[in-house]
Amino acid sequence: MEYKRTNAWLAMDDDDLDKLEAMSKDYLEFMDKSKTERMAVKEIVKRAEAAGFRNLDDLIASGDLKAGSKAYVINRNKAVAMFVIGREDLEKGMTIVGAHLDSPRLDLKPVPLFEKSHAAYLKTHYYGGIKKYHWTNIPLSLVGVAFTKDGKKVDISIGERDDEPVFFISELLIHLSADLNQKKASEVITGEQLNIMVGSIPLKDEKENPIKKNVLKILNEKYGIEEEDFLTAELNVIPATKAREVGLDRSMIMAYGHDDKVCSYAALKAILEVENPEKTLVGLFVDKEEIGSVGATGMTSQFFEDMTLEILNAFGKGNVVSLKRALRNSKVLSADVTLAEDANFLEATEEMNTAKLGHGVCLTKYTGSRGKGGSNDADSEYLAEVRTAFGKDAAIWQTGELGKIDQGGGGTIAYILAEYGMSVVDCGTPVVSMHAPLEVISKADLYQTFKAYLAFYKHI
């Protein structure tokens, strides 16, 4: 039989379409509340607690951890793991969907504030893979945390509400761009030019840096912070744009951070729906994937295996052998997005092996670049098992690669989990304009991603 992708819009019945629209509306709200990993962790925990999940430490301390228990554990407010304890011995493995919460953005430098040419600016250092010119001439928000010198934590959010000011990165006007237009796209805007404009009114009776001092005065009045507090702050610059429906038929969604919030959302929705499973279910929502999954909140940290050991210990099996068995016998969907074929840039993709918008979640056997470098490359036996699970719940899926062989590529957390001996395959939503400040997905693919993850939790 010839392989043909299924157009999800044509395959769904009225009940599916009603559920799709309800989910899409909820997803729009989730995206506006979850732009950074810190924001996403707050929203995930809020939804988890509303569904009966409790803090893992509290469950262990009270002796309430048992089959059927729902637990979450937060890692430094930037990653979170969710567990639904199964009836089966944990040594036999877990069923895991792992996604990441971070997205490409700009971060403030430790000493960011300066005044030049009658305006005040904040210096940034970009995070993750971006096209730097994308970040000019768009409305930007400033969000994150700072600490005063006496240790008080201050949550900062400026630009996310409609009644708040936004920030801006300038670009050279077209009238003077004759030389600039000859440069490569990667050189049109440099990293050191990604300075956000934050003020232009001078503070009266100040001769030196009066605009900078006025900005500091405003920040001190609103948040109680001083210039020195920037040194230990964690402040992110993100698009101030709200998530919106796209197209006359409203079939798509535009938002900042579909990579990888769309898979995180679908995994969260799926794990919230399963009660009393046979195997222990895990939803992993990690940080730092965009810069190599490094650090204490990235997938390369030992946070997940430590938490698994804590659970084993609560059941009287807190030893290395039991931990190794639990990890080795686990099965994983590495829930990360892939690219959707774009009619404007067909030269970068190979038509037969590229995911199509509106044709379901994409199962990706291998990622990597130029010869599968850095990829997990899932085995055929496991792919067949996942395929069967999707088929039991009629989840619509397709397959695809991340561009032409020698064009480039990308990676996910799959290879890290595979190092434990787990069976892992990449599985995520196709995205248009991946890593741009605003990306686009299909509502149909969002819904089918959820259906696929739910089927995985139920049948693997």
Side-chain angles (χ1 to χ4, degrees), residues 101-120:
L101 298 175
D102 58 317
S103 300
R105 59 171 188 263
L106 309 179
D107 293 336
L108 290 198
K109 289 189 176 186
V111 183
L113 184 59
F114 72 98
E115 179 178 333
K116 189 100 173 169
S117 301
H118 303 284

Side-chain angles (χ1 to χ4, degrees), residues 93-97 279 326-333 382 385-386 422-424 456 460:
M94 298 165 280
T95 303
I96 304 168
V97 179
K279 284 186 174 293
L327 296 173
R328 183 175 65 249
N329 293 325
S330 294
K331 296 179 179 179
V332 187
L333 290 184
Y382 183 51
E385 190 175 357
V386 172
M422 300 179 186
S423 295
V424 188
F456 181 78
I460 292 292

Side-chain angles (χ1 to χ4, degrees), residues 145-314:
V145 296
F147 287 84
T148 62
K149 58 186 176 184
D150 59 0
K152 179 184 177 184
K153 181 180 178 181
V154 182
D155 290 312
I156 293 175
S157 179
I158 308 171
E160 284 297 286
R161 286 173 33 182
D162 292 337
D163 60 349
E164 292 177 332
V166 295
F167 305 97
F168 184 79
I169 298 174
S170 60
E171 187 192 9
L172 187 63
L173 66 164
I174 185 63
H175 310 71
L176 302 179
S177 294
D179 292 337
L180 189 68
N181 287 341
Q182 303 308 309
K183 292 185 177 182
K184 295 190 298 183
S186 61
E187 299 172 352
V188 169
I189 296 293
T190 67
E192 296 298 343
Q193 289 176 306
L194 294 173
N195 303 314
I196 64 171
M197 301 181 73
V198 295
S200 62
I201 298 176
L203 190 63
K204 289 183 179 180
D205 302 322
E206 290 286 347
K207 293 183 179 180
E208 186 177 349
N209 295 322
I211 300 172
K212 172 184 172 179
K213 288 178 179 176
N214 192 44
V215 168
L216 287 171
K217 178 176 178 289
I218 294 168
L219 287 172
N220 185 260
E221 289 174 348
K222 184 173 178 61
Y223 294 106
I225 61 174
E226 300 175 353
E227 184 173 13
E228 189 176 337
D229 299 330
F230 280 118
L231 296 174
T232 56
E234 188 175 292
L235 295 171
N236 314 130
V237 179
I238 55 175
T241 313
K242 301 289 186 184
R244 297 285 299 274
E245 294 177 314
V246 173
L248 293 174
D249 55 6
R250 299 176 179 265
S251 61
M252 296 167 283
I253 295 173
M254 175 191 73
Y256 164 67
H258 284 313
D259 181 10
D260 188 33
K261 306 297 191 314
V262 60
C263 295
S264 298
Y265 172 85
L268 173 64
K269 290 283 288 185
I271 200 169
L272 293 180
E273 288 209 5
V274 184
E275 301 280 347
N276 299 309
E278 182 177 352
K279 284 186 174 293
T280 292
L281 308 183
V282 182
L284 274 180
F285 307 94
V286 298
D287 182 26
K288 297 292 189 292
E289 192 275 344
E290 297 296 356
I291 57 171
S293 296
V294 295
T297 54
M299 195 62 243
T300 55
S301 78
Q302 296 185 25
F303 170 73
F304 174 58
E305 58 189 277
D306 288 349
M307 294 307 102
T308 303
L309 186 57
E310 291 284 358
I311 294 173
L312 283 165
N313 188 60

Side-chain angles (χ1 to χ4, degrees), residues 37-38 41 44-45 73-81 101 284-288 296-299 301 303:
E37 57 272 26
R38 285 181 180 271
V41 166
I44 288 170
V45 170
V73 56
I74 300 171
N75 184 6
R76 291 171 170 81
N77 297 312
K78 297 201 287 185
V80 60
L101 298 175
L284 274 180
F285 307 94
V286 298
D287 182 26
K288 297 292 189 292
T297 54
M299 195 62 243
S301 78
F303 170 73

